Amino acid sequence: MMSKKNKIYWFEGVTEKGVKSLLTDENSKYRWLRSQRNRRVLVVLMAVGLIALAMGSYWPTLKTGSLILNSGAEIAIYSVTAIFVIFAVLGGYLLLRISVRGIGDAPNELLDERQIKVRDTSFRYAYYAMGYVVLGLLLLMLIGPELKMFQPEGNDGSYLVIATLFAFSSMPSMVLAWRERDI
């Protein structure tokens, strides 16, 4: 007996088996993620992680002279912290997707009418929220310290770019996790 092919949805970045697994999974290991309160905590932690990641771009401006470290120790602490924050945000994003059962990333043909409506409404609110995020970033660019990309010295804008990309990819699931009572 030949097994059914696992269709890949390139635009959404998901597979059919992956989405169906999240939609039907009642694994007790992830049950704690499904309550609205825990999903909201996850959304807040994700937002804090994104802000912390973005602030990595302003490390030279934000650091104070109270740390008495040599430059090698400072670079090591900064690097380890940056890597930890990036992996924490990535882990938060993966937990967020599990908590909303992947509805934010699923194609229409794998969802029912209610899930499509909820997902589309969440996308609309996420679009509005990202408009405010982009406005904030533009204001920061105008009045904040200067950023340059991939700079070993000074404010490196790459962390802000990484945080923005994470925010764009996770915002629909964040809105869905915050708004919906029962997922």
Side-chain angles (χ1 to χ4, degrees):
M1 185 179 228
M2 190 175 237
S3 67
K4 186 177 177 186
K5 288 186 90 177
N6 186 17
K7 185 174 180 183
I8 299 173
Y9 296 91
W10 293 103
F11 187 71
E12 291 87 357
V14 297
T15 63
E16 183 177 9
K17 285 182 183 177
V19 170
K20 285 183 177 181
S21 169
L22 281 174
L23 288 172
T24 59
D25 188 21
E26 290 299 330
N27 190 340
S28 61
K29 182 167 66 169
Y30 298 115
R31 186 168 307 206
W32 63 275
L33 283 173
R34 301 271 166 35
S35 73
Q36 187 178 27
R37 182 175 113 346
N38 289 349
R39 284 184 281 123
R40 284 184 172 183
V41 168
L42 189 57
V43 168
V44 169
L45 290 175
M46 187 75 177
V48 168
L50 290 170
I51 290 168
L53 182 57
M55 289 297 101
S57 288
Y58 294 103
W59 171 254
T61 301
L62 295 174
K63 72 180 177 179
T64 61
S66 63
L67 290 177
I68 302 171
L69 300 170
N70 63 21
S71 63
E74 181 182 316
I75 290 171
I77 291 170
Y78 175 67
S79 300
V80 169
T81 303
I83 290 169
F84 174 76
V85 170
I86 289 171
F87 279 116
V89 169
L90 180 61
Y93 173 66
L94 295 174
L95 288 174
L96 189 65
R97 283 192 63 199
I98 291 169
S99 76
V100 296
R101 298 183 182 269
I103 293 173
D105 301 317
N108 283 349
E109 66 187 66
L110 299 178
L111 300 175
D112 63 26
E113 293 84 15
R114 179 192 162 283
Q115 291 169 330
I116 291 170
K117 183 172 173 62
V118 165
R119 188 217 39 217
D120 291 349
T121 304
S122 295
F123 264 92
R124 192 173 107 231
Y125 287 126
Y127 176 76
Y128 292 150
M130 287 312 296
Y132 289 112
V133 168
V134 169
L135 176 65
L137 291 174
L138 289 173
L139 289 173
L140 189 61
M141 282 176 46
L142 292 173
I143 62 175
E146 181 183 5
L147 292 176
K148 293 183 179 175
M149 295 300 291
F150 311 113
Q151 295 298 312
E153 300 290 326
N155 294 330
D156 179 14
S158 60
Y159 294 103
L160 190 63
V161 170
I162 293 168
T164 303
L165 292 174
F166 270 123
F168 268 102
S169 65
S170 64
M171 190 61 73
S173 292
M174 290 171 74
V175 170
L176 185 62
W178 191 269
R179 289 183 65 230
E180 285 302 303
R181 288 179 192 245
D182 190 28
I183 294 182

